[in-house]
C-alpha cells in the first residue's frame, strides 16, 4: 500500500495491503511516527479507519488519533510508543478517535524501524476491534467445523488439487491430511467411471450448478482394496474478496447402504483389468517380455507383488508328475512392497518345489489356489530356510497361485501376492487370476513356438551358408552375415565364392524374399544350384537363366541374385544381375564406381532375358557386394542408403576385415530389422608369361 509523506510524495511504506484478502473487510491502518511522535507515514487504510487525508495529519502529533488526547498530548499514544521503542514490539487495544470525533476500540501493533539514512520511526498497524472480533469468531467457527465435523469437508483449486480438508475426510481416504495437500484428486481417489467424476467436478469449478447428494463408487490410495460409496455434494467457491477460485465439497461414507454400487464397481474394475491385459500382454513374441507384461498388468490394482515362472522340463515330451520335485525358472518379477519383498521376488532364478507343495496342487488340478502365508504353506512349499525367512518378513500375507497351461501343455505358473493391508483374495479374484493366467499362457506358448521356429530357421540358414570361402590366389575376401533382430524372423540372404578353371573366381550374392524356415530352405536350394551351375562354367546370363528356371520349378516367387566372374589374367569382371542391388568398385586411387548397367528382373518372374556387362578392374581394386538390408532402413530410402554405403566404403581403411567391420558398424543399427550380407573382394592380377625369341 503506498504511503504518503509531507509534500505529497507517495512511497511504498514498509507495509502495504495485498488486494484480494480479508483486509478488504477489516480495514487496516498503516502509519508511522517520527522521533517527536509526529505522524510521518499515512497509508490509504489509515484514511479509511481514521478519516484524515494525508495533508491533514502528516507532521501532526500522533495524539490526534487517540480518545484521551488533550492539548496535543495523549497518554495512550505516549505509552504505546514508549513500549514499542523499549520492547521492539507491542500490541494491545486502546481507545481511538476519528476525524469526526467518534471514539471506538482499536487494536494496535507498533514496532520501531530504521530507514536507509539512519532515521528511526515507529510503524503502527491498527484495526477496529469489533471487526477483528467478528473475523476471529468466523475463523474460530470454521476451525471448529473442520476439526470436529464428522462429515468429510474439502476445498479444491480449479485443477482439483487439495487446498484444505478435515480429518474426517483424511480418515475416509486412509491417508494423512498432509499427504493430500497439493495433490490432484485423481492421485488420491481411484475411479472406474471413465472420468465422469472428474468432468462433474470441473464443471462445478467452472461456475456450474452445485452437485447435491451424488453417489459415487471409488477406492483410495490409502485403502486400495476397500470399495467405498460416498454421497458427495460440491459447490463453486464464491471468490468473495478475490479469494482463490475452486470447489468446496462435503462427503459422507454410505458404503454399508450401497452394496449394489460396490458390486458394480468391482465388476467394472475386473473388466477394466481384463481389458488392460488384452491390450498389454502378448504385444511381442518374446517370452520374457510377455511375462513382464503380465506382472506389470497385475500391479498394483490386483496385487502388491507378482512372479512368473516356467517349468524346466528335461525334454518337451516330459509330462508333469506330482510325485517328483518341480524345477522352475523365474523369468519375471516385481513388487511395490519394501525390502525384503524385493529380494524375495527377484533373488533367485531357479526354484525347486517339493512334492506335495501348493504349486504341485495347482498344476495337478489346473485351477488357481489362494492361500494364506502361514507356517503350513511355508513348510509345504519353501525348501530353503533363508527363503522361508524372507517370505515371513516380506509383509506378504496371501498368495494366489495360477497355472499357465496352454494347448494342454503345462508352461509354468504365475503368483500374485498381497500384504496384510489389503483384503484377502476372493472367489472373484480366483476367477480373474485364472483368466489372466490363461491369456498369458497362450501368449507365452505362442512366443515359445515362435522362438523355436526362429531358432530352427537361423540354424538351418547358418548350416547352409559357407563357413569358409575358397577364392584362389588372386582374390582376397572378407564376408559378413548379420541376422535380423528378434522382431522379425530370419531372412533368406546368402553368398558364395567358387573357383573356376583358369584361376578365375565366381562371386555370388542373393536374397530370397520372405522370412523363416521357407526362406532359409529356398535360399539353400538356390545357393546349391548356383554353385553347381557355376562349376559347369556357364556364362553369367546362362547361369541366371537356369537359376530362374529352378526358382520357378521350386515355387520361389521372388529372389534376387548378383553373379560376377573375375579373370585375374585379363583383370576383367563379367557381371549379371537378377534384380539385385548394384555392386560397388573401390579403385586404388580412392574413386568409387557403381556398376548399375544390368539390374535385370528378380528370379522367379520368368520370361525375361538377363544381360551382362564387363568392366576392367585394376590390381588391388575392391568389389563390394551386399544385400538390401545394408542400405534399406525405416526412415531412409534406398538411394540415401546407397550413398551412405559409398561414403563409408571410401572412408574404410586397413585390412578387408577391418573395412567390413567399419562398414557394418557405421551402417547397421544395434538391432537391424532385416538380414544383411556384405562381401568385400580385393582382386589381384596374374602376370602373363613373356615369350623369349630363340
Amino acid at each position: 500500500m503506498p504511503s504518503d509523506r509531507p509534500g505529497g510524495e507517495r512511497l511504498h511504506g514498509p507495509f502495504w495491503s495485498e488486494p484480494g484478502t480479508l483486509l478488504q473487510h477489516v480495514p487496516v491502518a498503516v502509519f508511522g511516527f517520527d522521533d517527536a511522535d509526529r505522524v510521518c507515514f499515512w497509508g490509504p487504510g489509515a484514511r479509511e479507519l481514521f478519516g484524515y487525508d494525508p495533508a491533514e495529519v502528516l507532521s501532526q502529533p500522533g495524539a490526534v488519533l487517540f480518545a484521551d488526547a488533550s492539548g496535543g498530548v495523549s497518554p495512550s499514544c505516549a505509552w504505546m510508543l514508549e513500549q514499542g521503542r523499549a520492547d521492539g514490539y507491542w500490541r494491545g487495544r486502546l481507545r481511538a478517535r476519528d476525524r469526526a470525533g467518534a471514539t471506538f476500540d482499536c487494536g494496535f501493533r507498533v514496532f520501531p524501524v530504521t530507514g536507509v539514512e539512519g532515521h528511526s520511526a515507529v510503524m503502527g498497524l491498527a484495526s477496529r476491534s469489533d471487526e477483528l472480533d467478528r473475523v476471529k469468531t468466523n475463523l474460530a467457527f470454521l476451525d471448529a467445523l473442520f476439526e470436529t465435523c464428522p462429515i468429510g469437508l474439502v476445498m479444491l483449486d480449479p485443477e482439483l488439487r487439495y487446498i484444505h480438508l478435515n480429518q474426517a475426510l483424511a480418515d475416509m481416504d486412509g491417508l494423512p491430511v498432509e499427504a493430500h495437500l497439493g495433490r490432484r484428486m485423481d492421485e488420491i481417489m481411484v475411479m472406474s467411471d471413465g472420468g465422469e467424476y472428474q468432468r462433474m467436478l470441473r464443471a462445478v469449478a467452472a461456475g456450474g450448478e452445485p452437485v447435491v447428494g451424488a453417489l459415487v463408487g471409488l477406492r483410495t490410495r490409502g485403502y486400495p482394496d476397500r470399495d467405498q460409496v460416498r454421497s458427495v455434494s460440491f459447490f463453486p467457491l464464491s471468490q468473495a474478496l478475490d479469494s482463490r477460485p475452486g470447489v468446496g465439497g462435503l462427503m459422507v461414507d454410505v458404503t454399508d447402504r450401497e452394496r449394489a454400487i460396490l458390486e458394480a464397481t468391482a465388476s467394472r474394475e475386473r473388466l477394466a483389468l481384463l481389458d488392460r491385459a488384452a491390450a498389454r500382454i502378448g504385444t511381442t513374441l518374446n517370452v520374457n517380455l510377455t511375462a513382464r507384461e503380465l506382472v506389470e498388468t497385475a500391479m498394483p490394482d490386483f496385487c502388491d507383488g507378482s512372479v512368473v515362472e516356467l517349468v524346466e522340463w528335461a525334454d518337451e515330451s516330459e509330462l508333469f508328475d506330482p510325485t517328483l520335485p518341480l524345477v522352475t525358472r523365474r523369468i519375471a518379477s516385481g513388487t511395490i512392497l519394501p525390502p525384503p519383498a524385493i529380494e524375495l521376488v527377484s533373488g533367485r532364478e531357479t526354484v525347486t518345489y517339493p512334492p506335495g507343495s501348493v504349486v504341485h496342487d495347482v498344476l495337478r488340478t489346473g485351477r488357481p489356489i489362494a492361500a494364506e502365508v502361514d507356517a503350513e504353506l511355508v513348510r509345504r512349499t519353501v525348501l530353503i530356510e533363508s527363503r522361508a525367512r524372507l517370505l515371513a518378513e516380506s509383509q506378504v500375507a496371501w498368495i494366489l497361485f495360477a497355472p499357465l497351461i496352454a494347448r494342454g501343455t503345462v508352461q509354468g505358473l504365475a503368483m500374485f501376492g498381497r500384504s496384510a493391508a489389503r483384503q484377502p483374495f476372493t472367489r472373484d479374484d480366483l476367477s480373474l487370476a485364472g483368466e489372466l493366467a490363461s491369456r498369458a499362457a497362450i501368449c507365452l506358448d505362442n512366443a515359445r513356438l515362435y522362438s523355436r521356429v526362429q531358432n530352427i530357421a537361423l540354424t538351418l540358414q547358418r548350416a547352409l551358408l559357407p563357413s569358409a570361402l575358397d577364392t584362389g590366389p588372386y582374390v582376397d575376401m572378407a564376408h559378413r552375415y548379420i541376422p535380423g533382430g528378434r522382431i522379425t524372423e530370419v531372412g533368406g540372404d546368402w553368398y558364395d565364392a567358387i573357383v573356376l578353371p583358369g584361376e578365375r573366381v565366381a562371386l555370388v550374392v542373393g536374397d530370397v524374399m520372405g522370412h523363416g524356415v521357407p526362406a532359409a530352405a529356398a535360399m539353400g536350394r538356390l545357393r546349391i544350384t548356383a554353385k553347381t551351375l557355376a562349376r559347369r562354367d556357364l556364362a553369367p546370363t546362362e547361369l541366371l537363366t537356369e537359376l530362374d528356371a529352378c526358382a520357378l520349378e521350386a515355387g520361389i516367387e521372388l529372389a534376387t541374385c548378383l553373379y560376377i566372374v573375375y579373370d585375374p589374367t585379363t583383370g576383367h569382371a563379367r557381371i549379371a544381375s537378377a534384380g539385385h542391388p548394384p555392386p560397388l568398385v573401390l579403385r586404388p586411387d580412392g574413386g568409387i564406381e557403381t556398376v548399375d548397367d544390368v539390374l535385370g528382373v528378380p528370379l522367379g518372374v520368368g520370361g525375361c532375358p538377363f544381360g551382362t556387362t564387363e568392366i576392367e578392374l585394376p590390381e588391388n581394386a575392391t568389389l563390394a557386394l551386399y544385400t538390401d538390408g545394408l542400405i534399406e532402413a525405416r526412415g531412409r530410402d534406398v538411394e540415401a542408403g546407397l550413398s551412405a554405403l559409398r561414403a563409408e566404403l571410401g572412408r574404410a581403411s586397413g585390412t578387408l576385415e577391418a573395412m567390413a567391420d567399419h562398414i557394418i558398424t557405421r551402417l547397421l543399427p544395434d538391432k537391424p530389422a532385416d538380414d544383411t550380407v556384405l562381401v568385400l573382394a580385393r582382386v589381384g592380377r596374374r602376370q602373363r608369361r613373356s615369350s623369349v625369341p630363340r
Side-chain angles (χ1 to χ4, degrees):
M1 174 181 295
S3 301
D4 291 287
R5 303 188 68 176
E9 182 183 1
R10 298 180 62 82
L11 299 173
H12 284 294
F15 301 95
W16 54 284
S17 297
E18 180 182 353
T21 69
L22 286 175
L23 297 182
Q24 291 183 343
H25 268 199
V26 184
V28 176
V30 183
F31 45 84
F33 301 94
D34 61 16
D35 291 338
D37 296 350
R38 293 187 300 268
V39 178
C40 60
F41 286 87
W42 194 252
R47 182 187 301 140
E48 291 181 28
L49 183 61
F50 293 102
Y52 290 101
D53 287 329
E56 296 178 292
V57 73
L58 287 170
S59 300
Q60 296 296 318
V64 300
L65 306 179
F66 294 87
D68 61 354
S70 177
V73 177
S74 166
S76 297
C77 178
W79 184 79
M80 178 187 73
L81 295 177
E82 180 183 352
Q83 293 298 314
R85 292 186 180 105
D87 298 337
Y89 178 80
W90 178 87
R91 71 175 181 176
R93 295 193 179 193
L94 297 172
R95 196 72 179 168
R97 175 184 288 123
D98 62 16
R99 185 177 182 276
T103 62
F104 54 92
D105 284 336
C106 190
F108 288 90
R109 297 169 186 251
V110 294
F111 45 89
V113 296
T114 301
V116 294
E117 298 178 359
H119 299 297
S120 62
V122 175
M123 299 305 303
L125 306 176
S127 298
R128 292 184 65 96
S129 296
D130 55 354
E131 294 291 342
L132 288 173
D133 291 342
R134 179 180 60 83
V135 172
K136 288 180 179 179
T137 299
N138 290 342
L139 292 177
F141 172 76
L142 291 176
D143 286 342
L145 180 66
F146 266 80
E147 285 291 332
T148 62
C149 181
I151 297 174
L153 302 175
V154 65
M155 291 174 60
L156 307 170
D157 69 10
E159 299 302 320
L160 306 185
R161 289 187 291 260
Y162 288 88
I163 301 172
H164 196 20
L165 70 154
N166 65 349
Q167 188 61 45
L169 180 57
D171 293 340
M172 288 186 203
D173 292 341
L175 295 170
V177 171
E178 295 76 13
H180 291 72
L181 299 179
R183 300 175 70 179
R184 295 191 312 275
M185 180 168 278
D186 60 1
E187 296 181 74
I188 302 296
M189 302 173 68
V190 182
M191 313 293 294
S192 57
D193 60 354
E196 181 62 31
Y197 187 67
Q198 296 285 322
R199 288 190 290 272
M200 177 185 72
L201 289 180
R202 293 191 184 280
V204 174
E209 292 295 322
V211 174
V212 179
L215 294 178
V216 295
L218 56 92
R219 292 184 181 184
T220 68
R221 300 299 178 188
Y223 297 123
D225 291 316
R226 182 184 299 177
D227 293 306
Q228 299 182 34
V229 177
R230 295 182 185 176
S231 174
V232 301
S233 298
F234 288 100
F235 50 88
L237 297 179
S238 66
Q239 301 185 48
L241 312 177
D242 291 334
S243 60
R244 81 172 60 179
V247 179
L250 301 89
M251 298 187 182
V252 180
D253 189 345
V254 293
T255 303
D256 294 338
R257 195 183 71 195
E258 303 293 337
R259 288 295 176 186
I261 295 180
L262 288 180
E263 293 176 1
T265 300
S267 297
R268 283 197 300 268
E269 290 175 349
R270 286 192 292 270
L271 289 175
L273 181 59
L274 289 176
D275 286 342
R276 291 198 300 273
R280 296 177 58 182
I281 299 175
T283 59
T284 70
L285 290 172
N286 181 289
V287 173
N288 292 336
L289 185 55
T290 299
R292 166 56 55 186
E293 290 168 343
L294 172 59
V295 170
E296 292 176 349
T297 299
M299 296 189 307
D301 293 340
F302 185 68
C303 62
D304 295 320
S306 177
V307 299
V308 176
E309 298 176 359
L310 297 185
V311 177
E312 292 280 86
W313 301 116
D315 58 70
E316 294 187 0
S317 62
E318 184 179 0
L319 298 177
F320 171 67
D321 187 344
T323 64
L324 298 177
L326 186 71
V327 179
T328 64
R329 178 169 52 90
R330 187 165 295 177
I331 61 173
S333 62
T335 182
I336 60 173
L337 296 176
I342 298 174
E343 183 182 354
L344 175 68
V345 300
S346 61
R348 293 187 67 84
E349 182 176 341
T350 302
V351 183
T352 301
Y353 296 101
S357 70
V358 177
V359 173
H360 283 71
D361 294 343
V362 169
L363 297 184
R364 176 177 53 81
T365 62
R367 296 177 180 177
I369 293 177
E372 183 179 2
V373 178
D374 55 15
E376 176 64 16
L377 174 71
V378 173
R379 183 191 63 79
R380 292 179 55 196
T381 307
V382 184
L383 288 174
I384 302 174
E385 184 177 349
S386 60
R387 303 294 296 175
R389 284 198 302 271
L390 280 177
L391 179 58
E393 298 169 359
S394 67
Q395 302 182 27
V396 177
W398 295 276
I399 299 178
L400 194 160
F401 302 82
L404 298 174
I405 300 176
R407 302 179 179 95
T409 302
V410 174
Q411 306 286 326
L413 73 153
M415 288 180 273
F416 310 97
R418 287 181 179 175
S419 69
R422 301 177 70 154
Q423 296 294 321
F425 290 106
T426 65
R427 184 177 303 173
D428 289 335
D429 291 330
L430 285 173
S431 177
L432 177 59
E435 182 67 22
L436 287 175
S438 177
R439 295 188 182 195
I442 293 295
C443 295
L444 287 169
D445 197 46
N446 289 340
R448 180 183 62 85
L449 294 175
Y450 169 80
S451 297
R452 180 195 300 172
V453 172
Q454 188 181 32
N455 290 335
I456 291 173
L458 187 59
T459 301
L460 174 62
Q461 186 182 43
R462 286 176 172 168
L464 294 174
L465 287 174
S467 57
L469 298 176
D470 183 10
T471 58
Y474 298 104
V475 177
D476 292 329
M477 184 177 292
H479 50 90
R480 297 288 185 273
Y481 168 70
I482 309 297
R486 300 291 293 183
I487 297 177
T488 61
E489 295 175 327
V490 65
D493 293 14
W494 56 283
Y495 60 95
D496 210 340
I498 306 102
V499 177
L500 303 177
E503 295 183 327
R504 292 171 300 146
V505 176
L507 304 175
V508 58
V509 173
D511 184 4
V512 177
M513 301 303 148
H515 297 90
V517 173
M523 174 273 292
R525 173 173 288 189
L526 290 180
R527 175 178 173 263
I528 294 171
T529 302
K531 191 163 192 171
T532 302
L533 293 173
R535 284 175 173 165
R536 291 171 53 190
D537 203 10
L538 297 179
T541 54
E542 295 174 348
L543 183 141
L544 290 184
T545 300
E546 292 291 335
L547 206 57
D548 183 44
C550 173
L552 288 171
E553 292 174 1
I556 301 173
E557 296 182 356
L558 200 63
T560 65
C561 183
L562 176 67
Y563 186 71
I564 300 176
V565 176
Y566 172 67
D567 188 343
T569 302
T570 63
H572 289 186
R574 297 163 62 198
I575 303 171
S577 175
H580 200 81
L584 302 181
V585 178
L586 173 62
R587 298 187 176 276
D589 61 3
I592 297 177
E593 177 185 353
T594 302
V595 185
D596 55 2
D597 299 341
V598 286
L599 295 180
V601 299
L603 302 175
V605 175
C608 298
F610 298 98
T612 302
T613 187
E614 186 169 328
I615 61 173
E616 182 174 355
L617 298 175
E619 188 166 7
N620 291 325
T622 301
L623 279 166
L625 289 68
Y626 53 93
T627 56
D628 58 1
L630 190 63
I631 59 173
E632 286 186 359
R634 181 174 298 177
R636 183 181 69 184
D637 60 27
V638 175
E639 290 301 324
L642 186 56
S643 297
L645 174 58
R646 289 170 58 92
E648 296 304 332
L649 181 62
R651 295 189 188 101
S653 60
T655 65
L656 290 178
E657 297 292 335
M659 291 175 64
D661 289 339
H662 170 86
I663 293 171
I664 291 295
T665 300
R666 298 290 296 179
L667 295 185
L668 286 187
D670 293 337
K671 294 182 179 180
D674 196 7
D675 290 15
T676 297
V677 162
L678 173 65
V679 175
L680 298 179
R682 184 170 293 159
V683 300
R685 288 287 189 92
R686 183 174 65 173
Q687 300 298 324
R688 299 180 182 226
R689 295 181 181 179
S690 58
S691 50
V692 180
R694 294 184 179 178

